């Protein structure tokens, strides 16, 4: 996407965390309880092996990806795009960048977990992630309805 800048933060500071939180508050439907709190994000990003990538344009943060790794495996923990900027290839750019960053660290595989009815499933499949497991009734919506979680893996 023209004018989009991807910025990788190895040790995201408060500013980068706040930028991610601003997107998270808009991107995750509260009905599913999938968004993280600021303390959860700060706690995880303070650990080694985690990196946060921000997608920015003209100083505005439009999306982010959060990845953690250990040894030669990684997990895409969160991927979010501001709803006003969805369908502009920002999610694809963040995902591709996350995979490339993992590859540069000699990581061999990336995992992720997603609610089965999340539209992002199509993006993950298109990128080459393979479905490896289903966790029935893993997520609970605000209305009490249960949703399956799908686990995916990508060989890098």
């Amino acid at each position: 996407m023209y004018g989009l800048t991807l910025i990788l933060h190895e040790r995201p500071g408060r500013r980068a965390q706040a930028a991610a939180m601003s997107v998270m508050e808009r991107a995750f439907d509260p009905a599913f309880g999938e968004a993280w709190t600021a303390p959860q994000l700060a706690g995880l990003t303070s650990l080694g092996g985690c990196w946060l990538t921000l997608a920015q344009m003209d100083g505005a943060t439009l999306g982010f990806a959060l990845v953690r790794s250990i040894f030669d495996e990684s997990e895409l923990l969160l991927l979010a795009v501001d709803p006003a900027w969805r369908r502009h290839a920002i999610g694809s750019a963040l995902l591709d960048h996350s995979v490339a960053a993992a590859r540069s660290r000699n990581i061999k595989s990336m995992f992720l977990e997603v609610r089965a009815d999340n539209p992002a499933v199509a993006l993950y499949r298109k990128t080459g992630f393979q479905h490896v497991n289903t966790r029935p009734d893993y997520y609970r919506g605000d209305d009490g309805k249960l949703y399956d979680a799908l686990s995916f893996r990508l060989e890098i």
Side-chain angles (χ1 to χ4, degrees):
M1 172 180 221
Y2 182 74
L4 186 70
T5 303
L6 299 175
I7 304 164
L8 188 142
H9 297 267
E10 295 282 350
R11 291 275 187 174
R14 288 188 180 136
R15 231 179 173 161
Q17 292 171 23
M21 286 304 301
S22 72
V23 172
M24 188 149 15
E25 291 166 358
R26 295 185 305 273
F28 287 96
D29 185 337
F32 299 108
E34 297 164 322
W36 290 17
T37 65
Q40 287 172 318
L41 182 63
L44 187 77
T45 57
S46 69
L47 302 174
C50 291
W51 68 89
L52 175 70
T53 302
L54 300 176
Q56 298 183 324
M57 187 182 319
D58 298 328
T61 302
L62 308 180
F64 73 91
L66 177 64
V67 179
R68 74 173 164 188
S69 64
I70 185 165
F71 302 115
D72 65 348
E73 293 184 345
S74 63
E75 181 180 11
L76 177 65
L77 297 169
L78 294 167
L79 177 72
V81 175
D82 185 306
W85 287 92
R86 290 183 181 154
R87 303 282 183 215
H88 288 89
I90 295 168
S92 293
L94 283 163
L95 187 55
D96 291 346
H97 188 271
S98 296
V99 170
R103 186 176 292 118
S104 75
R105 291 166 170 77
N106 295 316
I107 291 172
K108 305 296 182 214
S109 57
M110 182 176 284
F111 295 86
L112 65 87
E113 194 165 83
V114 62
R115 192 180 68 253
D117 66 344
N118 188 320
V121 168
L123 170 63
Y124 301 136
R125 288 184 191 276
K126 177 182 163 192
T127 304
F129 281 85
Q130 299 293 312
H131 176 245
V132 294
N133 190 37
T134 299
R135 293 182 182 200
D137 300 336
Y138 185 77
Y139 294 105
R140 180 182 302 275
D142 281 349
D143 61 0
K145 185 176 177 185
L146 298 172
Y147 300 87
D148 292 350
L150 303 178
S151 300
F152 287 89
R153 177 184 180 144
L154 176 69
E155 293 299 322
I156 299 176

